[in-house]
Structures are given as structure tokens and as C-alpha cells.
């Protein structure tokens, strides 16, 4: 257990003990002082840990968009796609929302290297998704679908290897207007690298993903 977590655990235990034995501590000021010291040290350690986390991720920018708060996450996603300069990797369970589909195709048209991974069942059974994939592939975007037993249930996008969109939001009209969904957009090189590495692993995994053939 990390050092600051040990202090936090100690503070919680001491807090419980102090609540259960308040009467005895009135007669034992030394014990009360020790509890207070432990709590103060735990708080100091926690504050230090928070400050360290902030300093390490000082360049991180996280934005949150809730559909039912009227934040319009679809606009933020389209903006991120439109801002992509060199690469755009998309892994999304379900898509057919025209403005996002168009933005993905347009990115490829202006020279961005675009790749897309989606769920095989949705790609093979949903006509709207099939049409969306045809438009994306016509723009020159390679598409892969899952071939394993589970679902490709991710909803994520990585732009230029350093900006990430993730959350519960499928690229659907129902997600835009009806669902309780959230999108996080994170601008951070370390986070971007982790997402990019995961996408690349999926893309290279021939046992779990295969090239999509449009119908």
C-alpha cells in the first residue's frame, strides 16, 4: 500500500476509534493528541499526493459532456475529428449519425490517416450502420470488425495520438437526443499513448479482428 494510503487508512481507523471512545479520550489527552496528529499527518500526506498528481498531469485537459445536460457531446466529437491533423483512430460499437460519419470521411479526404474498428454483429445486421461504413470506406478508410465471441463495446477515438474521446456515447441519433450518455475528451500525451497502444493491439490482432467486407 502506498505511503499516503497507509496514512489515510490510519486516519479512518483513528476516527472510528475516537468516535467509539470519546469518553475515554476526555480522560486521556495524550491519546487524543496522538489521534489529532495522525489525522493531521494523513491530511497532509493526502494533500501532497493530490498536489503531485496535479503536477504530473499539469498539461492534462479533461472536458465532460452529458447529453441530458444539454452539453452536445456530438459537437465536441465532431470538433475533435475536424481538428485532427495526422491520425484518427476510432473504435465504436455502433454508428450511423450522419454528421459524425461525414466528419470521419472528411478527415480521410483531407489526408488524415483514419482507421475504424466496430462490432461485427452491428456491422452485419444494422442497415444504417452498413450504409455508414460504406460511406467511410468509400473515403479510403480501412475498417475492421470483431471476430471474437464478445462484443466490441468500446466507444473511443484518438486524434493525433494525444487527444482522446471516450465514454458511453455511441455515434447514433438516439445517443444525441434521447439517451443518458457522457463523453470525456482528454488532451494528454500519456493518456493518448495508452489508448493508441490499445487500438494498435486490437488492429494487429488477427485472431480477434478481421477486415470488414461491406454488404
Amino acid at each position: 500500500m502506498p505511503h499516503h494510503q497507509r496514512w489515510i487508512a490510519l486516519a479512518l481507523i483513528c476516527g472510528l476509534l475516537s468516535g467509539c471512545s470519546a469518553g475515554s479520550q476526555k480522560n486521556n489527552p495524550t491519546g487524543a493528541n496522538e489521534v489529532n496528529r495522525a489525522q493531521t499527518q494523513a491530511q497532509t500526506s493526502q494533500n501532497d499526493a493530490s498536489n503531485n498528481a496535479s503536477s504530473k498531469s499539469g498539461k492534462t485537459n479533461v472536458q465532460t459532456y452529458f447529453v441530458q445536460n444539454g452539453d452536445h457531446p456530438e459537437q465536441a466529437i465532431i470538433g475533435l475529428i475536424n481538428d485532427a491533423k495526422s491520425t484518427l483512430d476510432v473504435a465504436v460499437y455502433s454508428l450511423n449519425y450522419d454528421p459524425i460519419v461525414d466528419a470521419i470521411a472528411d478527415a480521410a479526404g483531407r489526408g488524415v490517416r483514419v482507421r475504424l474498428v466496430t462490432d461485427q454483429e452491428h456491422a452485419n445486421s444494422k442497415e444504417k450502420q452498413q450504409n455508414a461504413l460504406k460511406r467511410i470506406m468509400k473515403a479510403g478508410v480501412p475498417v475492421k470488425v470483431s471476430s471474437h465471441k464478445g462484443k466490441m463495446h468500446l466507444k473511443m477515438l484518438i486524434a493525433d495520438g494525444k487527444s482522446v474521446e471516450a465514454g458511453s456515447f455511441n455515434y447514433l441519433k438516439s445517443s444525441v437526443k434521447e439517451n443518458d450518455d457522457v463523453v470525456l475528451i482528454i488532451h494528454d500525451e500519456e493518456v493518448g499513448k495508452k489508448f493508441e497502444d490499445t487500438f494498435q493491439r486490437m488492429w494487429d490482432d488477427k485472431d480477434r479482428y478481421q477486415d470488414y467486407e461491406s454488404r
Side-chain angles (χ1 to χ4, degrees):
M1 180 182 292
H3 184 69
H4 73 275
Q5 291 184 357
R6 285 200 295 270
W7 278 116
I8 294 168
L10 177 60
L12 290 172
I13 294 169
C14 289
L16 290 171
L17 291 175
S18 63
C20 295
S21 58
S24 64
Q25 287 185 7
K26 288 180 182 178
N27 298 323
N28 186 4
T30 301
N33 289 337
E34 289 176 352
V35 169
N36 290 335
R37 271 200 307 274
Q39 291 173 333
T40 300
Q41 289 171 327
Q43 186 61 50
T44 300
S45 179
Q46 186 178 18
N47 289 340
D48 289 344
S50 298
N51 290 337
N52 288 337
S54 297
S55 64
K56 288 178 181 178
S57 59
K59 296 182 180 179
T60 300
N61 183 306
V62 180
Q63 300 149 13
T64 58
Y65 300 86
F66 289 90
V67 171
Q68 297 306 324
N69 284 359
D71 296 336
H72 294 287
E74 75 284 358
Q75 295 178 9
I77 293 169
I78 292 169
L80 188 60
I81 295 170
N82 290 343
D83 287 342
K85 300 293 190 296
S86 58
T87 62
L88 183 69
D89 289 326
V90 182
V92 63
Y93 178 62
S94 188
L95 77 159
N96 62 40
Y97 183 60
D98 286 340
I100 293 181
V101 173
D102 289 343
I104 293 171
D106 289 346
R110 66 174 184 271
V112 176
R113 187 212 68 187
V114 183
R115 301 182 293 181
L116 189 143
V117 174
T118 190
D119 181 72
Q120 183 183 53
E121 182 181 355
H122 270 235
N124 290 338
S125 64
K126 304 291 184 181
E127 184 178 357
K128 288 183 179 180
Q129 180 145 334
Q130 291 173 7
N131 292 335
L133 293 174
K134 285 179 182 178
R135 287 160 55 195
I136 289 171
M137 293 174 71
K138 188 175 180 179
V141 177
V143 175
K144 292 192 176 186
V145 294
S146 54
S147 56
H148 54 82
K149 292 182 179 179
K151 297 181 184 297
M152 202 309 296
H153 208 245
L154 293 168
K155 297 96 177 173
M156 71 181 196
L157 175 156
I158 312 103
D160 298 328
K162 59 185 179 182
S163 295
V164 171
E165 176 265 317
S168 62
F169 189 93
N170 282 300
Y171 301 163
L172 305 173
K173 189 175 181 178
S174 58
S175 295
V176 172
K177 295 184 177 295
E178 300 170 6
N179 296 351
D180 288 300
D181 276 313
V182 64
V183 162
L184 298 178
I185 291 184
I186 308 165
H187 302 284
D188 183 278
E189 290 187 2
E190 289 187 15
V191 173
K193 184 178 185 307
K194 185 164 186 177
F195 274 77
E196 189 64 52
D197 289 348
T198 298
F199 184 93
Q200 189 64 50
R201 174 188 57 75
M202 294 164 58
W203 192 262
D204 293 338
D205 190 344
K206 295 180 181 180
D207 293 329
R208 291 173 58 83
Y209 296 91
Q210 62 188 23
D211 294 336
Y212 174 68
E213 297 180 5
S214 63
R215 301 188 174 210

